[in-house]
Amino acid sequence: MAAAGAFLGTLCALLVASVVARLAWHVALPWGWIAAAILVLALVTAVIAYRRHRYTRWRLDAQGFALMQGRLWQSETHVPISRVQHLDVRRGPLERAAGLSTLVVHTAGTRLNAVSVSGLDQRDAERLRDRLAHQLDRDDDAL
């Protein structure tokens, strides 16, 4: 069912892009081509961002924070509570307009010194940050 929805979303984006390209073909001015290219690029970017967000999962348990990403190339990152240094909730202008946030978990170490989860609802990101900070305060081994 989810694969059919992703296929239909991609098909709709391609259909809209082909209609815009067809309209731009009939417009003799160069700005028509530029507008069509920008619209097609925006649609492709939106489809990629939606599919990336759809295959991102996170889990918070007593051991720490886990982040799973990807469909074809999957990655799983686990941050133990004892390695968490501090937490940030970031909101850029587009995220603020959409009511979204990015939670950044800064860790001890150099390789993956920050794990971020983007596209969270603003209240959900703040609640997750507060729960993780509360768990961090209760943990005796935390730095």
Side-chain angles (χ1 to χ4, degrees):
M1 183 74 162
F7 175 73
L8 287 176
T10 305
L11 187 64
C12 287
L14 290 174
L15 180 65
V16 169
S18 67
V19 168
V20 169
R22 181 83 172 174
L23 288 174
W25 177 261
H26 292 293
V27 176
L29 300 174
W31 60 266
W33 286 102
I34 293 170
I38 290 172
L39 185 60
V40 168
L41 183 63
L43 285 173
V44 169
T45 303
V47 168
I48 290 170
Y50 171 75
R51 294 181 81 180
R52 181 176 179 207
H53 175 72
R54 192 167 157 215
Y55 293 104
T56 299
R57 303 282 185 260
W58 58 267
R59 183 183 68 237
L60 178 62
D61 55 17
Q63 287 76 36
F65 181 75
L67 178 66
M68 291 78 63
Q69 293 178 318
R71 181 177 180 189
L72 295 176
W73 288 274
Q74 298 175 350
S75 67
E76 184 171 340
T77 305
H78 181 74
V79 180
I81 290 293
S82 62
R83 303 296 288 174
V84 174
Q85 294 291 313
H86 64 279
L87 307 160
D88 289 332
V89 174
R90 296 185 180 162
R91 290 181 284 278
L94 294 177
E95 287 177 317
R96 280 194 307 268
L100 301 175
S101 297
T102 298
L103 175 71
V104 182
V105 180
H106 296 275
T107 63
T110 57
R111 184 173 160 258
L112 291 173
N113 59 359
V115 176
S116 63
V117 184
S118 59
L120 294 173
D121 182 63
Q122 182 176 347
R123 282 177 262 160
D124 289 341
E126 290 170 356
R127 273 196 297 261
L128 180 58
R129 177 198 60 198
D130 294 341
R131 281 186 56 202
L132 193 53
H134 182 68
Q135 249 182 319
L136 186 60
D137 290 339
R138 289 187 314 186
D139 189 17
D140 294 333
D141 295 334
L143 296 174

